[in-house]
Every structure is written in C-alpha cells, then in structure tokens.
Amino acid sequence: MDSREIFRQYMMGAMKASSAISELGKLLIDVSSRSKQQEAARARYVIGFIRRHIQYKTGDASAKDLCLNIRDIVLVLGRVSLNEKLYSVVKQYGASFDLVCENDYQVSCLMHFPEWLLPNKYIQDVYSLQNPDFTMSDSSSGDELLRNNTIFNEYKSFEQKIAVHTAINLPLGQTLLVSQPTGGGKSLVTQMLASTSEGLTLVIVPTVALARDQFHAAEHNLKDKNGIYCYRGTQTDAERQAIITSIKDKTARILFISPEAVLMNLQLYGLLDKAASNGYLVNVVVDEAHIVPDWGVFFRPDFQIFSIALRKWRNLSKNTIRTFLLSATLSDDVVDTLFSLFGSENGNSQVRCDSLRQEPRFYFCSTKSKKEQDDKTVEAIKLLPKPAVVYVLEPREAKDLQKRLRTEGYKNIPIFTGITNDEERDKILLGWKNQEYDIVIATSAFGIGVDKPDVRSIIHACCPENLSRFYQEVGRGGRDGLPSISLFLPYQSKDDKNADVRRALGLVKSRVLTVERSVIRWNGMLSNRNAIIDADECVLDASATPSTMSEEEAEYAGNRNVAWNVNLLLFFHRIGFIDLLDASFVPEKKAYTVKVKLLRTDVLGDSERLSEALVEPRENEFQSQMKGYYIIRDLVASPKSACWGRTFKHLFPLSREVCNGCPSDPDGRVTTDTKFKLRIPPAIQLPPSEPSRKLSRKMSPFTELIIRRNSSGKCTSDEVSSICERACEYEIGCVVIPGRFTQSVSFNGLVLDYDEFFFAVKNSPYLFSRGVLCVFEEDANTNYSLYKNLCILEEQKYRRVLYCNDNDVISANGKPIRESIDCYSISVDKF
C-alpha cells in the first residue's frame, strides 16, 4: 500500500493508528531512488496527520493546529476524504487555511501563498516534492569488511567508501577530519571504526538527542550488538553502572557521550584515563564537529575542556590514540579552530567531500518594523510547507512569538532555546522526530545533528551573527534530498539600535574578550584563593571571577563566567603563552580546575607587558570573527547583488557553487559537480605493509607479480570471484576489477572499479599500502591506463599483482606485458 491508500483506510476506520503508522514506517526504509524518496516524504506527512488527529482528540492540539496540518496533507496528496468529525472541523476553521469543503466529505486546498514571496514556483516545488536538478550520489560497491560488520551491502557513495577505509587505516596518534554532505553517511565511519578496532571508540556528541540517535543507529546497523553504549543523564544507576563495568572489563566497543558527562563523572573520567594508559581507548570521535567553534570556543566550556582531557589521554597513551572529527561542509576558519583544539602532533589529515546543499530555495524579505516582521512570520507559518523551524535570536522572542500564536488559536507549537530544561528538550526533540509537531520556534540551540530528514521550511525571523550559522540552520531543511524553503525575514532600520543586523553585530563583538578584560580575567584566576602555583605550573579555578565583579555578581557568575575563563586559557594556548596539562571537575564546587604550564613567564606575570603582547593576537581573533558577520551584513544590505550560491561558495571554498533559486537568480544556477567529490588529497602517507609470508614467497624480491590468465577476452564472474578469494588468502588489501563484478565479489578489503581506481591512485594512494591486485581484460586502452596508474604506486613501493594475459599490451610502444615488466610470472593455478 502507498501513503494515500493508508490514509484512506485510516479515515474509513479500516486501519487503526498504530497499524497505519507501522505500515507507513515500511515506506521509510528504502530511499534508493527519487520516487522512493518522494513516497517516504508522503509517508511522513501521513504519519504527522495521524499524530495530529490523536493529539486533537486528546486535547493536546487545537482545531487550528489540525487545519494547519491538513492544509499540507492536501497540498501533498491532493484532494482527500475525511471522516465526518474532521470534515466538520475543517468546515468551521478551514477557510482561513484555504481549505475547501466539497461533497462526500472531500477537502481540497487553494494554492495560496504570501503575496510578498515571489516566485511561488519554489513553494510549488516543495509541495510537489520535485527537485529536477538534484543529482543523487551513485552508490559504490561494498566489501566483506562492510557486509561482515553491518547490515549494508554497499556504500552510499565512493566518498563514503574512501572515508571509511581512510579512517580504518589512519596511523596511530593522528587526527582525521572527515566532511561529508548531510545524509552522506558520516556515522558509518564511527560504526566501522568500532567494529574493526581492538578497543574502545569514544564518540563525543553535542546533544542528548544526537547521542540517542547515534546509539540506536549503531544498534540497528551493526551485526554485533554487543558493547554498544550510550551515556545520558536520564539513565538509572543500574544502567550507568553497566557502562562503568563494561569499561572496567574492556567489553565496551563504542560509547556515545557528551563532553560534560565525561568530565563530571569522576569515576568514568578516571577509567578513561586508565583506558588511555593501557591502550584500551583507541579512537576518539567528535561528531558534528562544526558546532564546536560555534558553541565551544565561546559559550560551551565543556567542549573546550574536553580538548584538554584529550591531550592528556594522548600523552598517557604514548600518542597512539586516533582522533576523528566528523562534520558537513566547513569553512577555513572552522577547520583551523578544530585542529587547534583537537589536532595531533603526529599529523592532521582531511577527507574533505564538502558540497553545498542542492535542496534549499532562498527567499528574502526585508521588514521595516518588528510588528511587520512578526506579522509576516505568522503568515509564513500558516502558508509555507511544514514541518518548519522558526529561528529567532533570543529566548524572550521565542516566548513572545509562541504567545501570539496561542492567542490566535494554536496550541501545539513548542519553543526550544538555550534555557529550555533537559526534560523539555528531550520531549521536544523526540516529538519533532516522531512528527508530533509541525512548527518549532527556536534559537540556534535547536536541531544540531537531529535526524529529521523532512523539514520543509526554515524561517529566520532574525539576522544570525554570521553566514556560517545561517547556512548551518538552513541546512536543517531538506535532508531527505527533496526541496526545502529558506525564508530570511530580517527587521532592517538605520535608526533603531534593536534592528536585526545591529543586534547580530553586538553578538559578534561580545564573543571576543578585549585586551583589558583578558588581563583582568587572567589575574583573577592567578590571584584566586583556590589557585595552586608551583614554579611554572599552575592549577587554576575556572570559576574564578574577575576583580571587576561585585560580590553579588560573583556569587551568581555561573557557567558563562566559566566559559569565558576557559576561552581565555585556550586563547593563551593558541598563541603559545601556556600549555594545557589537565582538567578536573570539582563536584562540591560544581566547577572545573585546569592545570597549565606557563611558557611565557616574563609576560604572564606582568600586566603591562601582557597587555602589550595581547594587542595583535586579540585583533586577529576579532577580525576572524568579523569576517562571517561582514558577509551576512552585506547579504542583507544587497540581497540581489550576487547569486547566493556564490556567496556560500566564498564561505566554503572547497565546495562547488550551487543555487536552486535566490533573490539574485530566481531561476537558479545549479552547476555540475565532479563525479567524485574528494576535494583535496588527504595528507596521509603509509609505508608498504609487510606482505604475508605466502605472498612474500611468490613475489620477493620484486614488488610486482604477474598472474597469467588461462584464457583471453572478457573475464567471467566465476573467474573474478576466484581470483578475489585468493587475494584474500594472500592478505592483499585491495582489488581492482571491472565494474560489472564489483557488487558480486567476496573480498575482505577495498573493492574498486576502474574509474574509482584511477581517482584513488592520484588522490588517496595510501589506500594501497597493503598491496593491490588488478584484473586486466581485453581492451588495450584500458589496460594501458591501468598499468600506467599501477606504476604510480611503484614510487611508494606498494606491491602490485597483475591478473592478465601475458600477451596483453600495456605500454605505448606496443610491447606485451611479459616483455615490459621485470618480475616473476606465474600461472593462476600456482597462485
């Protein structure tokens, strides 16, 4: 049954809500084609309708909430038949939502949109779930490593395959930053690391919702369900103890946890120290890493302090712990910050597959007053596709907008801000995922990493402080690959200091300490009664207050004060004034202490000299923050001056320009992308691994070996399968075979077709450090290209095994293989 039929049966009473939702859930599993993506989107709409119907019957949603939802259902599915009770609701309230009651309880909807939004083709694209210019990534062949450990038979893309195999083969002690497009499957990197490593993979996540998502995904995707844990505040003591015991017994393979949970549970923190010392802690993954500069460097101290703990663990492990930073598209300053916080002395590498989003269509509408902004926001909520997120700058604005909507009859629209308590956050995030809300009003704290694929509209009733935040929030729409709407609704005024662009500037200016306040904070930590100073080493209280605070202010300084102090210590570390040795949480004080080594004692002990030394680095820090603000300021001032795709390309330089429609280019300017989207060659060098004893006996002293085919012409499936099985026995790391066989062979290593091989040799040659077996066929040009690329690997002395007819020509002078290569040649029967 499709979504429309399930909807019909539910309305007839032939199917109960639970059964209908269960059947609709089956339509969400396979999204391998555009038509299946569209059907999955329709299924989510119907699930949302059923949930809203239940909420209406229980009093948790109003008649207007219900009509808001029915409007979208009708615009997506077409005319529908409702039961008598729902029909009467629509008859009473539906006119203001453009719903039309027809005969036989049928309801249709007029395609009416805000008059100030043109062209309305963007909105029609969203309701029709049509994105004609969108190109889906081609899947890439799986391998036995993937099939043995997960439920998957193939990789989502060649880029995902490269990311997984690069992560698995990353040298000890190094850091790898992996950027994949949203929906590109970054979580598989984490899951495969845990499956293939002997030890614990610690996954640091920014939100409880993301920890839960990742935990359930790992349980679902991994064949071995043992040793998968998620630590969160709502657990029972028994559940927490089970995690502690699993780490003590070294049975935990993967643990999803927030940075504060690591640092504040002293028993767990101590166990992780021990795990680093004895080699049990092998991988540390920071997921959704792009939010660390957005939050951690400024107002979330736990991520910053976690970077100190990671440095300590690396030292305890003798620099064997590998670190992985997972994210989507990244700007250069974010990359610099991430490597500054989490980078390794042993080496930092990147697998960058940055891609701009193809789903959003961009609207911009300037408003001349706060009232106009609110009025148009409410109209957009009513008439734009749902589910939708409305972003505002401050919690009070979220509360004010919710209050207005309630006076207009809406009941089921929650707010999610930085001051929303943990219990309410969990409730909203879970409800949002489960289609229980059509609208959420939020500040930037909402939506990080939440697996909600079907958000159709993002409304900014504000001006974010930089372009990066704006684009990240826009990116929470259309994650299912179907079109979404971005509506930017800033309040602009030259005279009002509360106009949105000015408020955004205030946010940026408040993010970097002045030189004067930096010196005051440093002296406040040094002179605090809890400070312990021993020559050039100090233990500093991160909750210490500056001398400029009154006693009353100091008493209520709280988390923000701690964040500023930690921010200052990390700034001093970045500019080479101190080294960070350790960090500890003191439960009775509810505060952190940080152990530092003073590297510039001549400056740090003299306030005047310190002030002089901080002028230039502080200005550099400030200008770095201002760059993103300048871009969004100019975008608001002249939204039609340049294609927004070019503006985003400027922010994310490794991506390709993409725009499906914006104020400057109403028709869009989608550009074609390269087949493989690895933007820069990863800076990884691996020596050739030691060959198996069996392979060494066949090849030594050469690094090349010819395996002679018994026949000529095209290879058969049995023939290729047989040679790949033997390559496994010889512990060769990669096979290169004709594309028609890649899905059917059994090989416990990297499987590449010819095009993937040509690309990988030039961009990721380290993937062949364990040797490669290449299957040749009858085409002379292809054979020539294959051998030319194999010769590139000779520079690294990687072993190369050629399965071919020794009469095949592989040189420009027309010589056959047997006359061109100085190595052993054996028959396939002897291999």
Coordinates of all heavy atoms in Angstrom, one line a residue, residues 101 120 122 132 169 173 193 231-232 262 305 359 390 404 419 427 462 522 570 619 633 635 638 685 693 737 792-793:
C101 N -14.3 22.8 1.5 CA -15.1 21.6 1.7 C -16.0 21.3 0.5 O -16.7 22.1 0.1 CB -16.0 21.8 3.0 SG -15.0 21.9 4.5
N120 N 6.5 32.0 -6.6 CA 6.0 31.0 -5.8 C 6.2 29.6 -6.4 O 5.8 28.6 -5.8 CB 4.5 31.2 -5.6 CG 3.7 31.2 -6.9 OD1 4.0 30.5 -7.8 ND2 2.6 32.1 -6.9
Y122 N 9.0 28.1 -6.2 CA 9.8 27.5 -5.2 C 8.9 26.6 -4.2 O 9.2 25.5 -3.9 CB 10.6 28.5 -4.3 CG 11.6 29.3 -5.0 CD1 12.2 30.4 -4.3 CD2 12.0 29.1 -6.3 CE1 13.2 31.2 -4.9 CE2 12.9 30.0 -6.9 CZ 13.5 31.0 -6.2 OH 14.4 31.8 -6.8
P132 N 14.1 18.7 -9.8 CA 14.5 18.1 -11.1 C 16.0 18.2 -11.3 O 16.6 17.4 -12.0 CB 13.8 18.9 -12.1 CG 13.4 20.2 -11.4 CD 13.1 19.8 -10.0
N169 N 42.4 2.9 8.3 CA 43.8 2.8 8.1 C 44.6 3.9 8.6 O 45.9 4.0 8.4 CB 44.1 2.6 6.6 CG 43.7 1.2 6.0 OD1 44.3 0.2 6.3 ND2 42.6 1.2 5.3
G173 N 47.9 7.8 16.6 CA 48.2 9.1 17.1 C 47.9 10.2 16.2 O 48.1 11.4 16.5
L193 N 34.7 2.0 12.6 CA 35.9 2.1 13.5 C 35.7 1.2 14.7 O 36.6 0.5 15.1 CB 36.1 3.6 14.0 CG 36.8 4.5 13.0 CD1 36.7 5.9 13.5 CD2 38.2 4.1 12.8
Y231 N 25.7 7.0 27.1 CA 25.6 7.6 28.5 C 24.7 8.9 28.4 O 25.1 9.8 27.7 CB 27.0 7.9 29.0 CG 27.0 8.3 30.5 CD1 27.4 7.4 31.5 CD2 26.7 9.6 30.8 CE1 27.5 7.8 32.8 CE2 26.7 10.0 32.1 CZ 27.1 9.1 33.1 OH 27.1 9.5 34.4
R232 N 23.7 9.0 29.2 CA 22.9 10.2 29.3 C 22.3 10.3 30.7 O 22.2 9.4 31.5 CB 21.7 10.1 28.2 CG 20.9 8.9 28.3 CD 19.9 8.8 27.1 NE 19.0 7.7 27.2 CZ 19.3 6.4 26.9 NH1 20.5 6.1 26.4 NH2 18.4 5.5 27.0
V262 N 31.5 13.1 30.4 CA 32.9 12.5 30.6 C 33.5 13.2 31.8 O 34.1 12.5 32.7 CB 33.7 12.7 29.3 CG1 35.2 12.3 29.6 CG2 33.2 11.8 28.2
I305 N 37.1 22.2 27.4 CA 37.8 21.5 28.4 C 38.1 20.1 28.0 O 39.1 19.5 28.3 CB 37.1 21.6 29.8 CG1 37.1 23.0 30.3 CG2 37.7 20.6 30.8 CD1 36.3 23.2 31.6
E359 N 19.1 21.4 -2.0 CA 17.7 21.4 -1.7 C 17.1 22.8 -1.5 O 16.0 23.0 -1.9 CB 17.4 20.5 -0.5 CG 17.9 19.1 -0.6 CD 19.3 19.0 -0.1 OE1 19.9 19.9 0.3 OE2 19.8 17.8 -0.2
V390 N 11.2 28.0 13.0 CA 11.3 29.4 13.0 C 12.4 29.8 14.0 O 12.4 29.5 15.2 CB 10.0 30.1 13.5 CG1 10.1 31.6 13.4 CG2 8.8 29.6 12.6
R404 N 1.9 34.9 20.9 CA 1.0 35.4 19.9 C 0.2 34.3 19.2 O -1.0 34.4 18.9 CB 1.8 36.3 18.9 CG 0.9 36.7 17.7 CD 1.6 37.7 16.8 NE 0.7 37.9 15.6 CZ 1.0 38.8 14.7 NH1 2.0 39.6 14.8 NH2 0.2 38.9 13.6
I419 N 17.7 28.1 27.2 CA 17.2 28.0 28.6 C 16.2 26.9 28.8 O 15.6 26.7 29.9 CB 16.7 29.3 29.1 CG1 15.5 29.8 28.4 CG2 17.8 30.4 29.1 CD1 14.9 31.1 28.9
K427 N 11.8 15.9 25.3 CA 10.4 15.7 24.9 C 10.2 16.4 23.5 O 9.6 15.8 22.6 CB 9.5 16.4 25.9 CG 8.0 16.3 25.5 CD 7.1 17.1 26.4 CE 5.7 17.1 25.9 NZ 4.8 18.0 26.8
C462 N 15.0 36.8 12.1 CA 16.2 37.4 12.8 C 17.3 37.5 11.8 O 17.1 37.1 10.6 CB 16.6 36.6 14.0 SG 17.2 34.9 13.5
W522 N 42.7 36.9 33.6 CA 43.9 36.1 33.9 C 44.4 36.4 35.3 O 44.7 35.5 36.1 CB 45.0 36.5 32.9 CG 46.4 35.8 33.2 CD1 47.5 36.5 33.6 CD2 46.7 34.4 33.2 NE1 48.5 35.6 33.8 CE2 48.1 34.3 33.6 CE3 46.0 33.3 32.9 CZ2 48.7 33.1 33.7 CZ3 46.6 32.1 32.9 CH2 47.9 32.0 33.3
L570 N 42.3 28.8 26.5 CA 42.6 28.2 25.2 C 43.2 29.2 24.2 O 44.0 28.9 23.4 CB 41.3 27.7 24.6 CG 40.9 26.3 25.2 CD1 39.4 26.0 24.9 CD2 41.7 25.2 24.5
E619 N 43.4 41.2 18.1 CA 42.8 41.9 17.0 C 42.6 40.8 15.9 O 41.6 40.8 15.1 CB 43.8 43.0 16.5 CG 43.3 43.7 15.2 CD 41.9 44.4 15.4 OE1 41.5 44.7 16.6 OE2 41.3 44.7 14.4
R633 N 26.1 40.7 6.7 CA 25.6 42.1 6.7 C 25.5 42.6 5.2 O 24.5 43.3 4.9 CB 26.7 43.0 7.4 CG 26.4 44.5 7.4 CD 27.7 45.3 7.6 NE 28.7 45.1 6.6 CZ 29.9 45.6 6.6 NH1 30.3 46.3 7.7 NH2 30.7 45.4 5.6
L635 N 25.0 40.7 2.7 CA 23.9 40.0 2.0 C 22.5 40.6 2.3 O 21.7 40.7 1.5 CB 23.9 38.5 2.5 CG 23.0 37.5 1.8 CD1 23.5 37.2 0.5 CD2 22.8 36.2 2.7
S638 N 22.3 44.0 0.4 CA 22.1 43.9 -1.1 C 21.8 42.5 -1.5 O 22.7 41.8 -2.0 CB 23.4 44.4 -1.8 OG 23.7 45.7 -1.4
Q685 N 50.5 9.5 4.6 CA 51.5 8.7 4.0 C 51.6 7.4 4.8 O 51.8 7.5 6.0 CB 52.8 9.4 3.9 CG 52.8 10.6 3.0 CD 54.2 11.3 2.8 OE1 55.0 11.1 3.7 NE2 54.3 12.1 1.8
R693 N 53.4 -14.0 4.6 CA 54.5 -15.0 4.2 C 54.2 -15.7 2.9 O 55.1 -15.9 2.1 CB 54.6 -16.0 5.3 CG 55.9 -16.9 5.3 CD 56.0 -17.8 6.5 NE 56.2 -17.0 7.7 CZ 56.3 -17.5 8.9 NH1 56.2 -18.9 9.0 NH2 56.5 -16.8 10.0
I737 N 38.7 -4.3 -10.2 CA 38.1 -5.3 -11.1 C 37.1 -4.5 -12.0 O 36.7 -3.4 -11.7 CB 37.3 -6.4 -10.3 CG1 36.3 -5.8 -9.4 CG2 38.3 -7.2 -9.5 CD1 35.5 -6.8 -8.6
I792 N 52.4 4.4 -10.8 CA 52.5 5.5 -9.8 C 52.7 4.9 -8.4 O 53.4 5.5 -7.6 CB 51.2 6.3 -9.9 CG1 51.1 7.0 -11.3 CG2 51.1 7.4 -8.8 CD1 49.7 7.7 -11.5
L793 N 52.1 3.8 -8.2 CA 52.2 3.2 -6.8 C 53.6 2.6 -6.6 O 54.0 2.3 -5.4 CB 51.1 2.1 -6.6 CG 49.7 2.5 -6.8 CD1 48.8 1.3 -6.6 CD2 49.4 3.6 -5.7

